[in-house]
Amino acid sequence: MTADKQYPKPGDLIEIQQGCYEHWALYMGDGNVIHVITGEEEIPSLSASSETRLIRKAQVKKELLKDVAGSDDWHVNNKYDCLQTPLPVEEIIQRAEQWIGSIVPYDVIGSNPEGFVRKLRYGGQVSD
């Protein structure tokens, strides 16, 4: 971690710049994050036909931030704090831990990594 990065605190939202898109995670402490990833090789589609992959499945994982970000830039981005008060940190972490290993629906617009971690931090739907 470079000196110019804000060190995350448990419950913080982490935005990771991966090429032309952002990936989101929730900082759990001790260098770990929870995030949602698609693994199409391992996780089958939710749709009836493999040709219509409008909604896919994704897995909730707890991994080291350094492994998730790799060489990509990341920063703490609690941008929704001005719209909604975050839940207490203990509750955020407890809610997040309950999801580890779960398979969840995934789609780019509705059920995506940013939406997932926002719900953990704020307890409900938050939108721009």
Side-chain angles (χ1 to χ4, degrees), residues 33-108:
V33 294
I34 186 172
H35 65 128
V36 175
I37 61 166
T38 59
E40 292 186 2
E41 316 78 45
E42 304 164 12
I43 304 170
S45 172
L46 282 177
S47 62
S49 165
S50 61
E51 284 95 311
T52 58
R53 292 193 153 210
L54 300 177
I55 298 178
R56 299 177 294 186
K57 288 185 179 182
Q59 186 171 23
V60 179
K61 288 195 165 192
K62 181 178 178 180
E63 299 181 286
L64 290 171
L65 173 57
K66 67 178 185 164
D67 293 340
V68 174
S71 61
D72 295 327
D73 289 332
W74 64 267
H75 64 277
V76 172
N77 188 349
N78 296 323
K79 65 182 179 178
Y80 299 102
D81 284 6
C82 63
L83 301 173
Q84 191 167 352
T85 304
L87 296 169
V89 172
E90 300 79 21
E91 186 174 344
I92 294 170
I93 300 304
Q94 181 181 39
R95 290 164 52 92
E97 287 175 342
Q98 293 174 354
W99 284 98
I100 295 170
S102 297
I103 304 298
V104 296
Y106 174 89
D107 70 78
V108 175

